[in-house]
Amino acid sequence: MLKKLWLLFFTFAKIAALVLGGGLAMLPVIEETFVRKKKLLTSEELLDVVALTQTVPGIIAANAAVSIGMKVAGFAGALAALAGAIFPSFVIILVIAILFPQLSPDNRYWLGAFAGIRAGVTGMIAVTAWKLGKNTLKGKFEVITAIILLAAAVYGINPGYVIIAAIVCGVIYCRICAKRVEKAEAEKG
């Protein structure tokens, strides 16, 4: 158990320290570590974690750490993963706060570094979206729902409404599928 707790703390600390761009940019590294290398989660479980972390309030990285930690090692795992996700950010922000007064906002090297970071993070998020899309969009319902809700998001509809609409669509779809199964069983019997 202690080995799993250390793995959770160290992995999330490493991810939080080295991956820039927040929770969505962390997902490829989380997938590589917990799904492919350590095999502590399946791809479907990671998709569930992503869906959950997107719909509950809070920081995506912290939500993901808690959810994955809970799946891997229970409550202690959630605490270890959360501590790992928070610790590097706390230290980095502390160092930046100390050094910030000496930084020039016109420094071309800092501006260039941040431009590169933004481009890299955008690429990482695009790769994550592609991978999640391949695993999620398996049927007509999923594809149609994704297209409609993507269009709604592009046209500036509040993301909260988009999530609520997705939940409603999913519930209606499951209800329709259940009725089809009941009807098919009734016809057999």
Side-chain angles (χ1 to χ4, degrees):
M1 178 70 161
L2 197 56
K3 189 175 181 181
K4 280 186 180 179
L5 295 178
W6 174 248
L7 172 72
L8 286 162
F9 176 84
F10 182 73
T11 301
F12 277 99
K14 180 176 66 172
I15 290 170
L18 301 176
V19 177
L20 301 172
L24 293 177
M26 295 170 73
L27 289 176
V29 181
I30 290 171
E31 178 187 22
E32 179 70 23
T33 303
F34 290 100
V35 176
R36 292 192 185 141
K37 286 184 180 174
K38 301 294 182 185
K39 300 195 185 320
L40 294 170
L41 295 173
T42 65
S43 294
E44 290 76 23
E45 287 174 325
L46 183 60
L47 280 173
D48 291 343
V49 166
V50 170
L52 179 65
T53 60
Q54 294 293 311
T55 57
V56 297
I59 302 166
I60 293 171
N63 291 344
V66 168
S67 187
I68 290 170
M70 196 73 162
K71 281 191 177 292
V72 171
F75 186 73
L79 291 177
L82 181 61
I86 292 172
F87 181 72
S89 300
F90 175 76
V91 171
I92 290 167
I93 292 297
L94 189 61
V95 169
I96 289 172
I98 292 168
L99 297 177
F100 193 73
Q102 288 103 17
L103 298 178
S104 169
D106 297 329
N107 185 316
R108 64 181 176 192
Y109 298 108
W110 280 107
L111 295 174
F114 284 118
I117 289 168
R118 283 192 301 272
V121 166
T122 301
M124 290 174 68
I125 291 171
V127 167
T128 301
W130 176 257
K131 287 180 179 180
L132 292 175
K134 286 192 322 187
N135 290 333
T136 304
L137 305 176
K138 294 182 178 178
K140 289 180 186 176
F141 167 76
E142 291 88 351
V143 172
I144 292 169
T145 302
I147 290 169
I148 291 169
L149 297 175
L150 177 64
V154 166
Y155 285 107
I157 295 175
N158 183 316
Y161 297 142
V162 173
I163 290 169
I164 291 169
I167 291 169
V168 170
C169 289
V171 168
I172 291 169
Y173 178 71
C174 286
R175 186 92 170 127
I176 290 169
C177 289
K179 285 188 178 189
R180 286 182 187 162
V181 169
E182 289 173 8
K183 183 178 178 182
E185 288 176 358
E187 288 175 0
K188 284 183 182 177

